[in-house]
């Protein structure tokens, strides 16, 4: 028998019992006559004791154990003298009678502790050792629990889990495809799915009615902390629904997850039209853990002779409560923050509402006391508040002020990782203008339906058409997104036309879908959640890397298995590929 118990379960309830444990040597302490060994497995740590009356060889063998050796021991559960009430097994120890080394270990390149001395690269190279650490394992346990609850909820709502293929043809989700050469069809390539979008729509045409899949998706994009080239979606689709049904069903899912996994009652999830999100927070994924909305000031601040304001398309600001006491140095630091190349603003104007009721701005030269009063009143400012104002072209200045808003809120401690503020952003525009290609792109994807009332605008003013599209945002992170789809062939082909596909191209790439729409396609819609991001939010992490067992680094490499890697000439020949 390899073990009678795990290393996390023995308590005083088993005193006097003979037990067998197996696990890894976590730590050993040699106190002359006595040797203590902590043995560890996934479930916990148990202390082993080899005392003075143990057999000489046994004591020597215990002393020789190195970190991370795999051992098996037989012994008796006894009460500990020095109890450790912080761990469940802390009141007992095992007086060992038999010790067997199942496998020795080299000294690990970093310590297997919650706070390790291993840097990122080293941890990734030896990820199998990193995964022995509690915080990393706990993230994966959390991921598992969330996945189980997702399945439990969706199964309860009659969703069917259906697998869709991984070797497919390009889907236009806006990123570059990963491609796989086909040996049997020389010169031809599969694409890995950016999402199962077209397949889940076809399943609706097939009458599956409610589909979901916890599925790997692949996008060849530049990587950031919250992006991986392969990532997991909770992908869902429903037939005979409108937007309201979808928001309701998936609000149910998110509420269920917070309740069962975190014990948190979320309450109703607020909704905000995209246009408001942009106007009030400068972002389509506003962080509403705190308020601090934008206030537009063109009417009040333009025309006073301050050229930066006068020439701007938008003059807009935020109110930082209680920050009037910011020092010159703190204000300069905020100005430097918005001037960083990543943000690119030319400067920042402030107005302090001093505690004594006086007003002082960085542009006093241009504004009289009355105007300063109006300025403060626009924000509903109180003594002690600091108003921060920026100016420029609308899109740019909104983005810049959004960054500043998040920075200031961070400084004020308003972005706690244990507060969760979900939000549905709805009524996204259908199309966005792409300067580079000089044409419209689908803001979500080409299968998204326009709002019926806006359809006439498709010809006259496509940029103004709103879509039946929605995103779920939690704490300023886009966690999910979806739409009601087009299910009529004519509208779909009009959409492809608007997006610059010739009828031939559209037929070649998406003929299968448009043909399917001619065989009785029901109205349908869906959503996909970024599962890795969802888990990282539940775990309170900024990066999705630590909720993925074997992630890739920023260069898209797996440094443990050393991938990507070159392949042999023979393989290349077989695939009919010549390298440049
Ligand atoms: N396929 C979409 C995405 O990956 C989600 C959806 O529209 O359901 O963003």
């Amino acid at each position: 028998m390899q073990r009678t118990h795990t290393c996390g379960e023995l308590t005083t309830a088993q005193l006097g019992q003979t037990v067998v444990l197996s696990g890894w040597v976590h730590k050993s302490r040699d106190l002359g006559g006595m040797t203590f060994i902590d043995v560890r497995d996934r479930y916990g740590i148990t202390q082993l004791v080899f005392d003075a009356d143990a057999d000489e060889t046994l004591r020597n063998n215990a002393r020789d154990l190195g970190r991370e050796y795999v051992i098996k021991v037989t012994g008796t559960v006894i009460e500990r003298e020095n109890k450790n009430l912080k761990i469940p097994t802390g009141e007992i120890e095992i007086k060992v009678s038999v010790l067997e080394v199942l496998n020795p270990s080299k000294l690990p390149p970093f310590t297997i502790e919650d706070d390790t001395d291993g840097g990122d690269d080293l941890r990734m190279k030896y990820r199998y050792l990193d995964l022995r650490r509690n915080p990393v394992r706990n993230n994966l346990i959390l991921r598992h629990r969330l996945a189980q609850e997702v399945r439990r909820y969706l199964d309860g709502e009659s969703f069917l889990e259906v697998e869709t293929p991984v070797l497919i043809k390009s889907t236009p989700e806006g990123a570059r495809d990963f491609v796989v050469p086909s040996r049997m069809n020389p010169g031809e390539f599969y694409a890995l799915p950016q999402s199962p979008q077209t397949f889940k729509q076809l399943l609706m045409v097939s009458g599956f009615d409610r589909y979901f899949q916890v599925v790997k998706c692949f996008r060849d994009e530049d990587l950031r902390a919250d992006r991986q080239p392969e990532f997991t979606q909770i992908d869902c689709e429903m037939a005979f629904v409108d937007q309201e049904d979808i928001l309701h069903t998936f609000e149910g899912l998110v509420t269920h997850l917070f309740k069962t996994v975190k014990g948190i009652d979320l309450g109703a999830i607020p909704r905000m039209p995209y246009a408001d999100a942009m106007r009030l927070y400068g972002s389509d994924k506003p962080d509403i853990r705190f308020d601090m909305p934008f206030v537009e000031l063109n009417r009040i601040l333009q025309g006073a002779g301050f050229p930066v304001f006068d020439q701007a398309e938008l003059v807009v600001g935020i109110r930082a409560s209680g920050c009037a006491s910011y020092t010159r140095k703190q204000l300069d630091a905020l100005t430097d923050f918005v001037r960083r190349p990543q943000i690119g603003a030319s400067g920042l104007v402030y107005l302090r509402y001093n505690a004594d009721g006086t007003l002082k701005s960085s542009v006093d030269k241009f504004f009289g006391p009355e105007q300063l009063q109006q300025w403060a009143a626009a924000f509903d400012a109180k003594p002690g508040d600091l108003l921060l104002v920026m100016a420029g072209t609308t899109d740019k200045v909104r983005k810049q002020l959004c960054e500043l808003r998040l920075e200031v809120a961070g400084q004020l401690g308003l972005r706690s990782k244990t507060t969760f503020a979900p939000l549905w952003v709805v009524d996204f525009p259908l199309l966005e203008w792409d300067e580079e290609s000089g044409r419209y792109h689908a803001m979500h994807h080409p299968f998204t339906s326009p709002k019926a009332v806006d359809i006439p605008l498709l010809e006259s003013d496509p940029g103004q058409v709103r879509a039946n599209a929605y995103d779920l945002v939690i704490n300023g992170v886009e966690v999910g997104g979806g739409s009601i789809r087009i299910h009529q062939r004519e509208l779909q082909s009009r959409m492809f036309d608007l997006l610059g596909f010739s009828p031939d191209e559209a037929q070649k790439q998406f003929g299968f879908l448009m043909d399917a729409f001619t065989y009785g396609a029901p109205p349908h819609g869906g959503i996909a959640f970024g599962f890795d991001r969802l888990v990282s939010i539940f775990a309170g992490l900024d990066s999705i890397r630590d909720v993925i067992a074997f992630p890739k680094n920023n260069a898209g490499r797996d440094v443990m298995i050393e991938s990507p890697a070159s392949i042999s000439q023979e393989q290349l020949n077989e695939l009919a590929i010549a390298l440049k």
Side-chain angles (χ1 to χ4, degrees), residues 66-95:
R67 272 179 181 252
E68 302 306 310
Y69 275 42
V70 185
I71 58 169
K72 172 180 158 187
V73 295
T74 306
T76 316
V77 183
I78 59 171
E79 191 160 355
R80 255 205 231 184
E81 248 169 57
N82 292 322
K83 298 194 165 56
N84 175 358
L85 298 179
K86 283 191 215 133
I87 58 170
T89 61
E91 289 189 76
I92 57 99
E93 59 194 1
I94 310 298
K95 187 176 153 82

Side-chain angles (χ1 to χ4, degrees), residues 431-443:
L431 302 164
E432 78 191 320
W433 183 254
D434 182 58
E435 287 295 343
E436 223 170 90
S437 55
R439 56 182 179 80
Y440 283 111
H441 282 202
M443 188 130 177

Side-chain angles (χ1 to χ4, degrees), residues 150-167:
V150 165
R151 291 198 162 94
R152 199 188 320 281
Y153 175 85
L154 292 174
D155 179 54
E157 296 289 318
S158 304
F159 282 79
L160 297 173
E161 186 165 10
V162 182
E163 287 166 89
T164 52
V166 170
L167 295 176

Side-chain angles (χ1 to χ4, degrees), residues 553-571:
N553 72 10
N554 274 345
R557 303 196 70 86
D558 181 326
V559 292
M560 181 181 68
I561 62 168
E562 294 185 354
S563 142
S566 45
I567 56 174
S568 69
Q569 191 54 51
E570 212 178 331
Q571 283 172 297

Side-chain angles (χ1 to χ4, degrees), residues 243-285:
Q243 176 164 314
E244 198 50 45
D245 299 309
I246 299 219
L247 297 189
H248 177 78
T249 304
F250 292 98
E251 185 154 331
L253 170 65
V254 174
T255 308
H256 173 83
L257 296 178
F258 272 95
K259 183 72 200 163
T260 51
V261 178
K262 279 218 159 288
I264 292 176
D265 279 311
L266 270 194
I269 300 181
R271 297 181 189 179
M272 188 182 293
Y274 169 89
D276 289 358
M278 298 308 289
R279 183 173 53 81
L280 294 170
Y281 302 101
S283 165
D284 60 359
K285 37 179 184 292

Side-chain angles (χ1 to χ4, degrees), residues 1 55 80 194 225 293 343 349 505:
M1 194 196 302
D55 154 309
R80 255 205 231 184
Q194 294 186 32
I343 299 186
V349 169
E505 270 171 340

